[in-house]
Amino acid sequence: MLKATQSVVSALSKAQQTQSGTRIAEIDLAGRQRMLSQAIVKEFCLLTVAKTRKVNVASHLNQMRAKTELFEQTAYALRAGSIGDTPNPPPPDTFEALVQAHYAWSDLIYMLEPTHSGKALPELALFDVALVYEDLLPRLEEIVWTYVNG
């Protein structure tokens, strides 16, 4: 699925030269945001299980930290419109979708914060994370939709 998606993005990027106004780079980053958020939640789940089983958690912590940093960098770039060579702020409806996703992301990252310092969370926290993530994912999808249809 990921390979097919990348192929579509590559094809759209090549076609961008003839389609003015298409924000292919932004669509690519917005789609990457969804993938990163899923990977972060997955690492959190693996980290929680590893801590419960008293297994080394360093690789899960490193993956989670790296993906979180990349998510935050790309989210900022989308909100600032600093993708590519020239600044191109997002349209108002897209910016509003980006802000709403930022709020949902803030809720999620707040819940995950103790794990960034290596603290164990109870397995019941997985349920809470799933609920908060259910709020974030449709917001990320809305961003992609506004770029595609804007």
Side-chain angles (χ1 to χ4, degrees), residues 40 64-74 105 116:
I40 291 164
M64 194 168 151
R65 287 176 184 146
K67 288 177 173 126
T68 299
E69 184 177 331
L70 185 56
F71 183 95
E72 291 178 348
Q73 288 172 351
T74 55
W105 167 253
H116 282 272

Side-chain angles (χ1 to χ4, degrees), residues 9-22:
V9 170
S10 295
L12 287 172
S13 295
K14 289 177 186 172
Q16 182 181 15
Q17 297 167 354
T18 59
Q19 298 175 358
S20 63
T22 304

Side-chain angles (χ1 to χ4, degrees), residues 32 68 75 94 102 108 115:
R32 188 170 298 150
T68 299
T94 303
H102 174 72
L108 179 64
T115 60

Side-chain angles (χ1 to χ4, degrees), residues 96-110:
E96 181 59 30
L98 287 161
V99 168
Q100 293 304 315
H102 174 72
Y103 292 148
W105 167 253
S106 296
D107 292 342
L108 179 64
I109 202 64
Y110 175 77

Side-chain angles (χ1 to χ4, degrees), residues 49-69:
V49 171
K51 281 220 173 251
T52 303
R53 295 182 179 164
K54 309 234 188 282
V55 177
N56 187 356
V57 297
S59 67
H60 297 300
L61 275 172
N62 291 338
Q63 286 293 319
M64 194 168 151
R65 287 176 184 146
K67 288 177 173 126
T68 299
E69 184 177 331

Side-chain angles (χ1 to χ4, degrees), residues 1-10 28 31-32 34-36 38:
M1 180 78 134
L2 178 59
K3 192 173 185 177
T5 303
Q6 281 303 116
S7 296
V8 169
V9 170
S10 295
D28 187 27
R32 188 170 298 150
R34 289 179 8 188
M35 293 181 336
L36 285 169
Q38 291 167 345

